[in-house]
Amino acid sequence: MIAENQPLPSGTVTEKGVLGVQSYNPAELFASGTHVLFAVPGAFTPTCSEQHLPGYVNLADKLAAAGVDSINCLAVNDAFVMRAWAEQLQVGDAVRMLSDGDASYSEKLGLAKDMGSFGGVRSQRYAMVIKDGVVSHLFVEGEKQFELSKAEHVLAALQG
């Protein structure tokens, strides 16, 4: 598993934008500045939709005031699902919605998990702070937990 003080590896994630589906290399996307990347097991799932993503949307201004240049949500769903989820929750420009459609980037990070009949290989729930391409904070949740990767916890770590 990726660890604090390690550089973010290269890979591919996608986003559905106005120009269609765009591909990004996270190592390049987060090479400069301070970024939050949090991952959820799946779009439209209860905890992810009711708490995890909305927490980051609600605290986007405070995270920016703490020096965060971008907030990014990653899930093992396709880019079209991520866009629809963002529209349903009225995310706007607060959070970039990134797709890891085949879980390859989650696997590269060592943060993939086989959830069996729930949906196959998905991402574990986590949050990380990336400063100039290096993971400065990593918060990986335990089984069926939701505390460490909350926006409030990440904000407190940045302010502390």
Side-chain angles (χ1 to χ4, degrees), residues 13-157:
V13 295
T14 60
E15 176 187 30
K16 169 66 175 88
V18 293
L19 301 175
V21 176
Q22 297 172 297
S23 294
Y24 300 100
N25 176 348
E28 294 173 3
L29 189 63
F30 306 128
S32 178
T34 300
H35 307 275
V36 172
L37 175 65
F38 71 98
V40 298
F44 294 103
T45 57
T47 301
C48 305
S49 293
E50 295 165 12
Q51 298 176 56
H52 209 170
L53 178 56
Y56 281 94
V57 173
N58 294 336
L59 291 179
D61 289 341
K62 289 184 179 179
L63 286 161
V68 173
D69 297 305
S70 74
I71 304 168
N72 305 268
C73 177
L74 180 76
V76 180
N77 291 103
D78 67 54
F80 300 99
V81 168
M82 295 299 284
R83 174 68 173 241
W85 189 35
E87 289 172 357
Q88 183 197 41
L89 293 181
Q90 301 176 348
V91 170
D93 293 331
V95 176
R96 179 186 288 132
M97 305 296 283
L98 298 173
S99 166
D100 182 16
D102 63 357
S104 61
Y105 196 68
S106 296
E107 289 174 344
K108 186 173 268 192
L109 292 173
L111 291 167
K113 177 180 179 178
D114 189 343
M115 299 183 78
S117 63
F118 172 76
V121 178
R122 297 287 179 139
S123 176
Q124 293 183 50
R125 187 181 304 279
Y126 67 85
M128 65 173 69
V129 178
I130 306 153
K131 292 186 179 182
D132 297 327
V134 176
V135 177
S136 64
H137 298 76
L138 179 61
F139 308 107
V140 180
E141 299 286 2
E143 187 71 27
K144 299 189 187 243
Q145 298 295 307
F146 177 56
E147 291 298 325
L148 301 175
S149 64
K150 287 182 178 181
E152 297 85 352
H153 186 263
V154 173
L155 179 60

